[in-house]
Amino acid sequence: MKKEASAKMWNTLRNITLVIILFIFIRYEFDEDPYNDRIGWSVMVIFWISKGLFDAIEDKRNGNKKSMVANIVFVMAGCGVLIWQGIQVISSF
């Protein structure tokens, strides 16, 4: 019973976090300022990174090691994209 409640709380936390990130993406992507498009796409990458982390943690709990490793690689690639974009923004100043 306690394990079931913990899993339900985890799923609720996961879904709330992902929905908030999606709302932030929509706000930045569909506004008038064209510079905010870059911020919006960076937020979308953050969405996929957080989704990959949540999925990796869930796969670890379920014992799916191959899927967990694939999610971690996906998260690392997303972090690489964010670092690359950050370097581009910093070097443009």
Side-chain angles (χ1 to χ4, degrees):
M1 183 70 116
K2 187 176 182 182
K3 197 175 211 181
E4 189 175 303
S6 175
K8 188 173 183 177
M9 185 183 74
W10 174 257
N11 284 336
T12 304
L13 173 71
R14 172 188 175 185
N15 290 337
I16 289 172
T17 303
L18 293 177
V19 167
I20 288 171
I21 293 172
L22 276 178
F23 281 144
I24 294 169
F25 165 73
I26 290 170
R27 182 197 179 281
Y28 278 109
E29 191 61 33
F30 299 110
D31 65 349
E32 297 295 322
D33 189 10
Y35 178 74
N36 286 345
D37 291 346
R38 175 177 263 179
I39 296 171
W41 285 111
S42 297
V43 170
M44 184 53 109
V45 171
I46 291 171
F47 170 81
W48 287 111
I49 288 172
S50 60
K51 183 176 180 341
L53 281 174
F54 283 129
D55 289 344
I57 292 169
E58 191 172 323
D59 287 337
K60 183 170 176 18
R61 286 183 182 171
N62 294 335
N64 300 333
K65 290 187 179 186
K66 289 181 183 179
S67 181
M68 182 189 73
V69 170
N71 283 323
I72 295 297
V73 169
F74 187 65
V75 167
M76 289 172 36
C79 288
V81 168
L82 281 180
I83 291 170
W84 172 56
Q85 287 298 315
I87 290 172
Q88 278 189 339
V89 168
I90 290 172
S91 66
S92 68
F93 288 122

